Amino acid sequence: MLVVALDPPFSPVLGEDYLRIVREVDPYAQGFKVGLPLILRRGVGAVGKIKEATSRPVIADLKLADIGDVMASALGALAEQGVDAVIAHGFVGVEGSLDKLVEEAEKLGVEVIVVASMSHKGSEKYIDKHVTEIVEDSLRLGVHGLVLPATRPSLIRLARGLVGGSLRIYSPGVGHQGAQPGDALCAGADYEIVGRAITWSESPGQAARAVLEKQLERVRACRG
C-alpha cells in the first residue's frame, strides 16, 4: 500500500542518513523507491545498503529511457546491487527498447515497472496523449507494473480497466503534489509512492505511520 521514495534532500535533522529513514519506516512500508538524486550523491552502492537494511522490495527509479542495449546495461549494474525492480519510461516504445529491457530483466530476475504518465502538469501535453497505448504495450510485454499519478485518478481508473488484475499500479504525487493518502488506492492503484511527507519529517517512522493510517481510513470509506 505504501512505497517510500528516498529522494534527497531529507529533513535537516536526518541530513544524508537515508538508512535511518529505511529502518524507521520499514514497519509501515511495503517497499522503497530509490531515485537518481540519491544514487548520484551516494553511488549505486546505496542500493545495496538499502537492500541490506530491509526485507522490503527495493525499486530503482532511474526512469530509464533509451535504446534497449543501453537500458539493459544500466539494469545489469543495478541487479548487482540486488534491486528488485526498475522503472522505465513507456514513451520510448517497444521494439529495440522496452522489449530488450524486459528480456534482460527476466534473465536477471528483476521486475520492470513502466511509466505511463507522470504527476506534473507537463505530462498532460505529451505523455498523457498516449497512456492507453503505453498501458496496452506494457500488458503485452508482461511487465510487473505501471506508474500512474495520484494527481490524475481518472488515468488510474482507465489503466485498471485495461489491465484488470494483471499489473500492479504505483502512484506518486501524494502529499506535496496535491493528492491525499488513499486517493490513488480508491481509484484502483495498488501502491502510493510517498516521499517528502515522510523524508522531510524529523520522525519519518511516525510520519509513515500517519500516512498509512490515513490510507486505511480513506480506503475503508471508499471500499466499504
Side-chain angles (χ1 to χ4, degrees):
M1 186 174 291
L2 173 61
V3 172
V4 177
L6 300 171
D7 295 323
F10 306 126
S11 160
V13 172
L14 301 173
E16 293 292 315
D17 192 359
Y18 61 95
L19 292 178
R20 174 184 163 185
I21 298 175
V22 173
R23 290 190 294 267
E24 289 193 19
V25 309
D26 190 75
Y28 312 106
Q30 280 70 58
F32 292 92
K33 185 178 76 73
V34 187
L36 188 60
L38 181 59
I39 292 176
L40 286 175
R41 290 183 185 209
R42 304 304 290 267
V44 70
V47 176
K49 291 179 180 178
I50 294 167
K51 280 292 297 180
E52 292 173 358
T54 181
S55 61
R56 311 293 188 184
V58 176
I59 303 167
D61 182 16
L62 303 188
K63 292 187 177 64
L64 299 172
D66 215 312
I67 63 171
D69 290 339
V70 173
M71 292 197 293
S73 179
L75 173 63
L78 294 165
E80 289 176 359
Q81 299 298 321
V83 73
D84 297 285
V86 295
I87 293 178
H89 266 299
F91 67 72
V92 295
V94 174
E95 188 174 357
S97 188
L98 286 177
D99 55 356
K100 292 191 174 182
L101 174 64
V102 171
E103 180 181 359
E104 185 66 15
E106 290 175 350
K107 293 177 184 176
L108 295 173
V110 178
E111 303 282 6
V112 175
I113 301 169
V114 173
V115 177
S117 175
M118 296 181 71
S119 55
H120 66 295
K121 184 69 175 177
S123 181
E124 297 178 8
K125 185 174 182 179
Y126 296 111
I127 302 176
D128 290 5
K129 295 177 181 179
H130 303 283
V131 168
T132 297
E133 296 160 278
I134 293 172
V135 171
E136 290 174 343
D137 283 345
S138 300
L139 192 59
R140 284 192 292 269
L141 282 167
V143 301
H144 167 71
L146 299 163
V147 175
L148 290 147
T151 51
R152 286 194 283 288
S154 61
L155 295 184
I156 299 173
R157 288 191 287 268
L158 170 66
R160 181 56 73 200
L162 291 170
V163 306
S166 299
L167 305 183
R168 297 288 181 265
I169 295 178
Y170 295 78
S171 292
V174 174
H176 281 72
Q177 287 183 287
Q180 297 301 307
D183 284 354
L185 299 174
C186 287
D190 297 284
Y191 304 97
E192 292 181 339
I193 300 172
V194 183
R196 287 171 285 182
I198 294 171
T199 61
W200 283 15
S201 170
E202 295 182 3
S203 300
Q206 293 179 18
R209 180 177 179 177
V211 169
L212 185 58
E213 289 174 347
K214 289 178 182 178
Q215 287 178 316
L216 292 171
E217 181 181 358
R218 178 82 170 87
V219 168
R220 290 191 190 104
C222 73
R223 295 182 184 177

